[in-house]
Amino acid sequence: MFTSLPAHVRVYEVGPRDGLQNEKVFISTPDKLRLIDALAAAGLSTIEVTSFVNPRWIPPLADAEHVVAALAGRTSPRFSALVPNERGLDRALAHGLPEVAVFMSASESHNAKNVNKSIAETYLAFEAVFARCAAAGIAVRAYVSTVWGCPYEGHVSPDRVLEVALRLLDMGAYEISLGDTIGIGTPRQTATLLETLLTDIPANRLAMHMHDTRGTALANCVVGLELGITTFDASVGGMGGCPYAPGASGNLATEDLVYMLHGMGISTGVDLVALTAAGRLAQSLVGRTLPGRALAALIASEN
Ligand code: MG
């Protein structure tokens, strides 16, 4: 058991984007920057700070330009932003980000709801985004949603996921972030899925983006660790979910992930005490207790 765990894991923090995009209240730009600073101070090496989707779709992130402009010139941590299309890319490119992320779904129905395009049309739209990023020296991360299952179609076959992932890598993505959008994955399924993907894709090109909707996120991460995955997405305090996936809630909480990894002897570069301070700040900004369990326990132990 646990004979092939990695020594180090990269925790990819998505709270300021994936968390805040689902918040009802608008968090001011200075407050967003305070949260990003707190996450950076905790040692998170990569932080997705906002999204350049149309502000009409995601009003909480309507200040994307202001957030990214305020971070311009800072090279550590590495900042990234979500970019849905060329228009979003135009907005992102103005501020010198080293990395952007595109997104699509492995299932047609969720892709249609989320990006209003068929999968074939999505690839077509991505071509220009990837070409312009390559020309500008900007790394592209690709999110694939509904990898463990779709709220409209149910089961999604691992072969289908492999096909989508290979296409995105071929277009130039440096990494594919596999999303359990509705948080339904269980460990045996995760093993089958990853074993299929790893036949054609090296483990260091894959990341896992788990939702803890049903309490199985960490169990799935352990399977990923054992199979060589070394990048895991998480959101401070467990903020966020997916606005277009009914019932989806609860990104895996960064504190839960980091607590488990450190306990397993896997380094992350993250200071759990400083991360708790970021979690506290996140809770005070959104005005409610966040679902992360390690955060609650860490706060309780401080009191
Ligand atoms: Mg998420």
Side-chain angles (χ1 to χ4, degrees):
M1 200 62 179
F2 301 140
T3 51
S4 57
L5 293 177
H8 182 81
V9 153
R10 178 171 76 127
V11 178
Y12 185 104
E13 173 62 44
V14 297
R17 191 277 300 173
D18 195 1
L20 292 183
Q21 78 177 16
N22 293 294
E23 289 302 322
K24 304 272 183 286
V25 291
F26 181 82
I27 310 293
S28 74
T29 307
D31 280 342
K32 285 180 177 132
L33 292 168
R34 280 170 64 208
L35 178 61
I36 292 163
D37 278 337
L39 293 165
L44 287 151
S45 61
T46 317
I47 305 176
E48 197 166 280
V49 293
T50 191
S51 168
F52 286 98
V53 296
N54 189 326
R56 273 182 299 166
W57 299 348
I58 313 275
L61 302 184
D63 61 346
E65 270 94 350
H66 300 297
V67 170
V68 172
L71 301 170
R74 285 172 58 175
T75 52
S76 178
R78 189 174 170 91
F79 295 119
S80 182
L82 202 65
V83 159
N85 50 32
E86 273 201 276
R87 198 168 135 57
L89 182 64
D90 288 336
R91 295 169 66 204
L93 282 180
H95 301 288
L97 284 172
E99 174 170 340
V100 296
V102 297
F103 57 98
M104 62 176 290
S105 308
S107 55
E108 286 286 356
S109 333
H110 187 267
N111 200 64
K113 288 264 187 209
N114 206 19
V115 302
N116 205 21
K117 286 186 179 74
S118 69
I119 285 176
E121 289 164 346
T122 305
Y123 291 144
L124 210 59
F126 279 174
E127 277 176 18
V129 172
F130 276 102
R132 289 178 55 193
C133 286
I138 293 170
V140 183
R141 175 179 228 238
Y143 284 102
V144 181
S145 299
T146 64
V147 166
W148 276 258
C150 172
Y152 311 107
E153 295 175 28
H155 179 71
V156 174
S157 91
D159 288 331
R160 172 82 189 131
V161 178
L162 175 61
E163 186 188 316
V164 171
L166 284 173
R167 179 76 181 255
L168 291 166
L169 289 169
D170 189 51
M171 284 180 146
Y174 82 89
E175 178 173 84
I176 305 296
S177 175
L178 306 164
D180 184 5
T181 310
I182 50 176
I184 56 166
T186 51
R188 191 182 291 266
Q189 178 193 10
T190 300
T192 304
L193 169 72
L194 291 177
E195 280 162 359
T196 300
L197 297 177
L198 291 167
T199 55
D200 281 312
I201 301 173
N204 65 7
R205 306 294 295 277
L206 297 173
M208 289 171 68
H209 182 113
M210 307 311 294
H211 284 180
D212 207 25
T213 318
R214 292 169 182 77
T216 55
L218 284 178
N220 290 314
C221 289
V222 170
V223 174
L225 288 167
E226 189 64 8
L227 292 174
I229 306 297
T230 55
T231 297
F232 295 86
D233 299 358
S235 175
V236 60
M239 276 199 301
C242 173
Y244 303 107
S249 65
N251 279 309
L252 171 59
T254 313
E255 301 84 356
D256 291 4
L257 176 64
V258 169
Y259 172 81
M260 183 188 82
L261 291 171
H262 290 183
M264 294 173 80
I266 299 168
S267 70
T268 63
V270 177
D271 178 331
L272 205 47
V273 174
L275 183 60
T276 305
R280 252 187 212 282
L281 174 61
Q283 290 195 145
S284 75
L285 293 178
V286 301
R288 65 186 168 87
T289 301
L290 291 170
R293 274 148 316 165
L295 175 62
L298 288 160
I299 288 175
S301 71
E302 283 176 356
N303 293 333

